[in-house]
Amino acid sequence: SNLTSSDLSLSTAYAAINAMRSLTDNKGRILGINPTRIRVGGLLLPRAMEIFQAESRVAGIDYNGAETGNRIAAAALPNVYRGIVDVLYDPLLTGYTAYLEDPRADAKPILLRELAGGVDMTALIAKTDPNVVYDREYKWCVTWKSILATGAWQTTHLINGTA
């Protein structure tokens, strides 16, 4: 799946990265998807910068100094996730949505597929065509049969949070 319905955090982002890296084709071979950027709007920009660009991060530790969810104290730890992906600000993203992306040129998430028939061009340029007689305009009409088709959907992972 390329959808995570959780808020952006270090654990959800890294789980999504690992999910993308482990995607396989129908024969079980690894596809080689490796996200190199995360696209976020203004609401998630500080959080994404903290996760992927800060030199250190604050984590809860227990009595033994191990990182844990049962916080006894806080400590500044080196951010080993720094630089793993580039943070890209997209002003069109207004909610708590982030997109992890593998923007390689050989894998597109959406393709325009041409159907049989190709391009059909009709010229309305005869002296008896209504547009020439009444409007004194020459018109050309192009008909092209095509559809939007899914491409490599694996190259994008949506993290859709609420806060």
Side-chain angles (χ1 to χ4, degrees):
S1 175
N2 63 340
L3 172 64
T4 299
S5 296
S6 297
D7 294 331
L8 179 63
S9 67
L10 177 66
S11 59
T12 55
Y14 201 64
I17 290 170
N18 282 335
M20 290 177 77
R21 288 177 177 165
S22 63
L23 290 171
T24 58
D25 64 8
N26 58 350
K27 293 184 180 181
R29 297 176 295 210
I30 295 289
L31 291 174
I33 305 295
N34 186 31
T36 57
R37 73 177 177 208
I38 186 166
R39 196 163 37 99
V40 296
L43 294 175
L44 289 181
L45 183 60
R47 195 178 311 172
M49 294 295 287
E50 181 182 2
I51 293 170
F52 294 112
Q53 302 297 319
E55 289 186 26
S56 60
R57 61 186 181 88
V58 176
I61 58 171
D62 63 11
Y63 287 114
N64 298 323
E67 189 173 349
T68 180
N70 301 326
R71 183 182 304 187
I72 304 302
L77 301 175
N79 188 5
V80 296
Y81 304 102
R82 180 178 185 206
I84 206 167
V85 296
D86 295 326
V87 177
L88 178 67
Y89 169 67
D90 186 346
L92 299 177
L93 295 177
T94 57
Y96 292 97
T97 301
Y99 292 93
L100 276 164
E101 300 171 335
D102 185 354
R104 296 179 300 171
D106 60 340
K108 303 289 183 196
I110 298 174
L111 304 172
L112 185 63
R113 183 172 178 197
E114 185 177 341
L115 299 176
V119 177
D120 182 27
M121 189 166 176
T122 304
L124 300 173
I125 58 174
K127 291 180 181 180
T128 57
D129 287 333
N131 54 293
V132 176
V133 172
Y134 297 114
D135 300 328
R136 296 182 184 207
E137 290 181 348
Y138 295 106
K139 294 183 180 179
W140 287 267
C141 176
V142 177
T143 305
W144 180 28
K145 295 179 182 176
S146 62
I147 60 169
L148 285 176
T150 56
W153 58 266
Q154 301 91 337
T155 62
T156 301
H157 189 100
L158 170 65
I159 299 174
N160 194 14
T162 57

